[in-house]
Amino acid sequence: MDQDTPVILVFDSGLGGTTILNHILARKISGPFIYVADNKFLPYGQQTKEFIQERVLEIFSKLNQKYAIKSAVLACNTVTAYVAEQLRGSYNFPIIGMEPGIKPAIKVSKNKNIGILATEGTIKSLRFTSLVDQFVSKEHNLIIIPGNGLVEEIENLPDSAEDLLNNLKPKIKQFEDAGIDVLVLGCTHYPLIIKQLKSLFSNNIEIIDTTEAVVNVLENALKAECFPNNQEVDVMVSDNSNSYYEKIRKVIQAASIKQIKFI
Ligand code: DGL
């Protein structure tokens, strides 16, 4: 797409951000869009804070030189936790981040036992700790479990289906033993396995993911803008071995998807 066209950037380490992009497309928010997956360094949730900050700032700087970015969606909880503030300090366009939906979970939970599944990076972040400090009172019981291994397994589905279930089972058991009635999905990859998650819980639990809320924020940020209706998506991946681009293309629900070279 031409470099003066205002674009909306959607960024994640891999496939997870497509859960956000597809929602944006379904809501008919007008692009064009660039979807950037830094799959070479996936899973971000197991990288250090310093690495993620350096890497994401570098990618944004290159993208900003090449494109007229109108708005960026950090379709990744881990990136939001570590880099959102620095990015907001560096760029004038709206930068929309995401965080685990602790606040909505507190509203929904009847028995006050709340499960949170997120990447280790998100859980260890200061941003997550302050979110908990801000909204969670003593009467709530938070069961926080890092989803180590899940992102890689989700990326490798269907081949990794069995490993995924074996990884999920003990985590779900911990949640069930604690009697949670609400589970917060704190990683954009996890909505891709919502069926598997639901099938493993013996009781009906409420699942909270913040996709909808993030898309609302984007819509509000763009309200004043007048784009021609455009649902084109250009996809950039940092490692195209094993036809990673094709894998992403299959998941994105847009009529026109093109591969472009990683910056
Ligand atoms: N999808 C990302 C998130 O929401 C990160 C996944 C990863 O690469 O660990 O946290």
Side-chain angles (χ1 to χ4, degrees), residues 1-7 9 34 36 54-70 72 87 90-93 236 260-263:
M1 94 196 29
D2 112 47
Q3 303 197 343
D4 298 323
T5 310
V7 291
L9 165 67
I34 311 180
V36 180
E54 200 180 312
R55 176 82 183 156
V56 176
L57 288 172
E58 190 196 335
I59 292 174
F60 265 68
S61 158
K62 287 186 179 162
L63 288 169
N64 189 50
Q65 283 166 34
K66 210 168 163 205
Y67 294 97
I69 302 172
K70 271 298 198 185
L87 289 169
S90 310
Y91 299 103
N92 289 327
F93 49 80
M236 273 184 200
I260 46 174
K261 216 171 151 278
F262 199 81
I263 27 87

Side-chain angles (χ1 to χ4, degrees), residues 51-222:
F51 175 86
I52 294 177
Q53 286 176 338
E54 200 180 312
R55 176 82 183 156
V56 176
L57 288 172
E58 190 196 335
I59 292 174
F60 265 68
S61 158
K62 287 186 179 162
L63 288 169
N64 189 50
Q65 283 166 34
K66 210 168 163 205
Y67 294 97
I69 302 172
K70 271 298 198 185
S71 181
V73 181
L74 306 178
C76 174
N77 292 258
T78 316
V79 168
T80 304
Y82 288 130
V83 211
E85 285 324 308
Q86 275 170 290
L87 289 169
R88 287 186 184 125
S90 310
Y91 299 103
N92 289 327
F93 49 80
I95 294 183
I96 292 136
M98 39 198 318
E99 57 193 14
I102 292 183
K103 224 168 107 182
I106 288 173
K107 262 198 201 154
V108 167
S109 174
K110 294 195 177 73
N111 68 13
K112 299 189 171 22
N113 294 321
I114 297 169
I116 299 177
L117 189 62
T119 69
E120 196 174 348
T122 296
I123 293 169
K124 279 200 214 142
S125 71
L126 202 63
R127 194 177 169 117
F128 180 76
T129 318
S130 356
L131 194 67
V132 172
D133 289 348
Q134 203 182 339
F135 296 110
V136 182
S137 62
K138 282 211 181 87
E139 52 175 3
H140 293 106
N141 178 25
L142 284 195
I143 299 91
I144 304 169
I145 300 184
N148 295 0
L150 293 179
V151 164
E152 299 93 307
E153 284 149 11
I154 293 167
E155 291 277 335
N156 292 322
L157 283 172
D159 295 354
S160 52
E162 207 181 317
D163 290 341
L164 174 71
L165 289 181
N166 288 338
N167 189 355
L168 281 173
K169 278 177 194 162
K171 294 180 168 60
I172 307 281
K173 182 169 184 322
Q174 263 179 280
F175 284 134
E176 287 200 315
D177 288 349
I180 66 159
D181 64 352
V182 177
L183 176 67
V184 176
L185 302 186
C187 169
T188 53
H189 277 74
Y190 303 162
L192 293 166
I193 52 158
I194 213 137
K195 262 198 216 141
Q196 290 91 326
L197 282 167
K198 282 190 172 158
S199 73
L200 289 171
F201 275 97
S202 43
N203 292 331
N204 237 355
I205 54 146
E206 193 80 38
I207 293 190
I208 306 273
D209 98 74
T210 48
T211 307
E212 184 97 35
V214 171
V215 179
N216 289 343
V217 177
L218 174 68
E219 199 167 51
N220 282 335
L222 297 172

